[in-house]
Amino acid sequence: MTKINKQESEVKAVRKYVRMSPHKVRRVLDQIRGQDYQKVVMLLEFMPYRACKDILKTVQSAIANAEHNYGINKDNLYITQAYADKGPVMKRFQPRAQGRAYKILKPTCHINIFVGPKS
């Protein structure tokens, strides 16, 4: 999904239903917020977290959207906003002793990345 905010000329990319807790994604997003594109790619490639893979795909999608749809040079872009919203929780049950059931919650999240040109 691509959207541009005309007032601030931001381009948006969203990755939905990522099978990961939003809390774990936010700790990576806090590190890349406000950084320029080349630095973000380098950080995400070398961070040891599983969330980096999905965040990197979303950042690359936002950069491609800005280049292709709006003609903005990728060398001039930086991350203006980055946040993770909670998605639906998948509920599963594990059989336990004496006929009981143990609830397993599998969280999902939606990753939102905004990129914009440097002023």
Side-chain angles (χ1 to χ4, degrees):
M1 178 177 181
T2 307
K3 187 176 181 182
I4 188 163
N5 187 347
K6 294 293 183 185
Q7 294 173 336
E8 300 174 15
S9 68
E10 292 180 332
V11 181
K12 178 181 183 181
V14 179
R15 187 171 178 89
K16 291 190 168 191
Y17 306 106
V18 177
R19 264 288 294 120
M20 198 173 309
S21 168
H23 181 75
K24 293 178 181 179
V25 174
R26 286 181 193 129
R27 70 180 172 192
V28 178
L29 291 176
D30 291 339
Q31 299 295 318
I32 67 167
R33 195 175 292 117
Q35 305 290 335
D36 63 340
Y37 169 65
Q38 289 86 5
K39 188 172 181 180
V40 167
V41 171
M42 187 177 66
L43 281 171
L44 291 174
E45 285 179 351
F46 292 106
M47 279 182 149
Y49 303 116
R50 197 183 107 204
C52 292
K53 179 181 161 187
D54 291 315
I55 294 172
L56 181 61
K57 285 183 180 181
T58 311
V59 168
Q60 289 172 338
S61 175
I63 297 297
N65 290 340
E67 272 190 311
H68 184 264
N69 297 340
Y70 302 102
I72 303 170
N73 186 7
K74 72 178 178 181
D75 297 329
N76 199 25
L77 292 172
Y78 76 105
I79 309 297
T80 56
Q81 296 181 51
Y83 56 90
D85 292 329
K86 183 180 175 189
V89 177
M90 295 188 289
K91 296 172 180 77
R92 304 291 183 263
F93 291 95
Q94 175 77 30
R96 302 302 285 198
Q98 299 179 0
R100 293 187 178 99
Y102 182 76
K103 189 188 298 187
I104 298 172
L105 301 177
K106 297 186 173 190
T108 62
C109 70
H110 307 310
I111 301 171
N112 299 283
I113 304 283
F114 289 83
V115 295
K118 294 177 188 172
S119 315

